[in-house]
Amino acid sequence: MGGRDLNHIGVIGGGAWGTALAASAVRAGRRVTLWALEAEVVQAVNESHENPLYLPGVALDSALRATGDMAEAAAADAILLVCPAQHMRAVSAQVVDAGADAPLVICAKGIEQKTLQLMSDVLGDTAPGMDMAILSGPTFAAELAKNLPTAVTLAARDDGLARSLIDALGHNRFRPYQSHDVIGAQIGGAVKNVLAIASGIVAGARLGDNAAAALITRGLAEIMRLGAALGARRETLMGLSGLGDLVLTCGSIQSRNMSLGKALGEGRTLAEVMGERRSIAEGVYTASGVAALAARHDIDMPICAAMDRVLNHGAAVGDEIEGLLSRPFKVETV
């Protein structure tokens, strides 16, 4: 695909991240149509220029149009898929069925539980032959929505597609960096959500800053091992969509995954915390997929495995902490 003008951007998903990306694309000078499942989100964006359900307190440009009609949003020059990872298969199929004939940009982070597929593989099933890219990096939706500086990785195998998307979406407060590594751009974003829950547990259990730094460092080693097995480039995993995203998500209670882990570390149950939330902590669902991939490829990922046992198999947080701290001493290698 050669370079082309992408003037109309469709954003599929009216949550915090989808709304923030839509607001950013308006700032870049694009015409933007935001599709939202909830009728109250569509009404609020169009009439009061806000999304109080997912981004309270953030004013949106009146040029941003929201719709509940998938075909309207799919009739765009490029389409950002900003749905939860476990819904990517169904949502992308709906987009294709609605007549989409434009590049699809994956903005979800995760591994499909049932198939252990990355989101690019899911789109390979639901949108075969369509142009595809990955947008991932260290991003809190509220900060981008408020026009604070943000940098991301924009990965596509086609140079022309990547450049066209960067020209369409980039501006001085939203800086996409080009990559060819579609696999690597997805692995960091998926695994860091699992590690962020572990980081939150460290904070909630008051294990200290030393433990927090150790967890991030050893967590990065786990990301690197999985990346090597799946064909990712090391430089990608050390970049914005890898190390950058890991540091952000493990270092701030703004992170939905870290805040969930903090509640677990303080002694609350997963059911209690999940029952209070409208937004999704992707790491809960990705943990089982990461653990299964590690087992399939015979990769040692002890932190992710511990999180899978806590989140999906009823293991006690205290027992898993002691188990990790009791592992044999070893040489520090990735």
Side-chain angles (χ1 to χ4, degrees):
M1 171 186 171
R4 66 186 186 194
D5 292 333
L6 304 176
N7 292 314
H8 181 195
I9 305 298
V11 180
I12 308 301
W17 186 222
T19 304
L21 283 169
S24 179
V26 170
R27 293 187 191 109
R30 304 307 126 207
R31 179 164 69 93
V32 183
T33 304
L34 172 67
W35 178 88
L37 179 65
E38 301 89 350
E40 59 265 42
V41 171
V42 174
Q43 182 178 8
V45 170
N46 289 336
E47 295 182 3
S48 56
H49 313 301
E50 60 179 349
N51 185 345
L53 203 60
Y54 293 106
L55 271 179
V58 177
L60 301 174
D61 195 303
S62 60
L64 173 59
R65 170 168 172 74
T67 182
D69 181 354
M70 184 68 80
E72 184 178 353
D77 300 323
I79 300 169
L80 310 188
L81 299 174
V82 202
C83 58
Q86 303 309 319
H87 298 295
M88 180 61 73
R89 184 174 297 274
V91 171
S92 59
Q94 290 176 38
V95 171
V96 173
D97 289 344
D101 184 24
L104 302 176
V105 184
I106 297 169
C107 305
K109 300 172 182 178
I111 295 168
E112 190 174 52
Q113 284 182 308
K114 292 182 180 179
T115 65
L116 305 186
Q117 288 183 332
L118 297 174
M119 296 298 99
S120 59
D121 297 318
V122 171
L123 256 64
D125 291 341
T126 61
M130 293 184 69
D131 292 317
M132 180 196 314
I134 310 296
L135 189 154
S136 187
T139 51
F140 285 142
E143 294 191 6
L144 177 61
K146 294 173 183 176
N147 205 25
L148 295 175
T150 300
V152 296
T153 298
L154 194 293
R157 294 189 176 98
D158 185 288
D159 277 343
L161 171 59
R163 287 194 296 269
S164 294
L165 287 167
I166 289 171
D167 288 345
L169 300 174
H171 55 85
N172 68 341
R173 290 293 192 273
F174 185 68
R175 299 182 54 78
Y177 284 73
Q178 183 177 349
S179 170
H180 294 103
D181 187 5
V182 170
I183 301 300
Q186 296 176 83
I187 291 173
V191 181
K192 63 91 186 182
N193 283 329
V194 182
L195 297 169
I197 296 176
S199 183
I201 288 174
V202 168
R206 299 180 181 275
L207 298 181
D209 292 338
N210 293 349
L215 186 139
I216 291 173
T217 307
R218 297 316 302 160
L220 178 61
E222 295 192 16
I223 290 175
M224 301 290 278
R225 290 182 204 131
L226 183 61
L230 298 183
R233 298 175 183 172
R234 290 176 61 89
E235 58 267 31
T236 307
L237 301 177
M238 294 300 294
L240 289 164
S241 62
L243 177 60
D245 207 357
L246 178 66
V247 169
L248 179 76
T249 313
C250 290
S252 173
I253 205 66
Q254 282 192 67
S255 161
R256 289 172 289 189
N257 291 283
M258 185 181 179
S259 64
L260 182 144
K262 184 173 184 291
L264 297 179
E266 291 169 342
R268 302 189 64 196
T269 69
L270 180 62
E272 286 174 348
V273 181
M274 296 286 281
E276 297 172 352
R277 296 184 170 206
R278 177 180 292 273
S279 59
I280 291 175
E282 291 277 18
V284 173
Y285 305 100
T286 301
S288 63
V290 171
L293 278 177
R296 173 185 288 181
H297 293 278
D298 194 25
I299 303 166
D300 187 29
M301 300 182 71
I303 301 171
C304 290
M307 289 304 93
D308 178 46
R309 289 190 292 269
V310 166
L311 298 168
N312 298 302
H313 302 285
V317 168
D319 291 344
E320 293 302 323
I321 290 173
E322 289 307 313
L324 288 170
L325 294 176
S326 300
R327 283 169 54 83
F329 301 117
K330 59 187 295 186
V331 176
E332 185 180 30
T333 60
V334 171

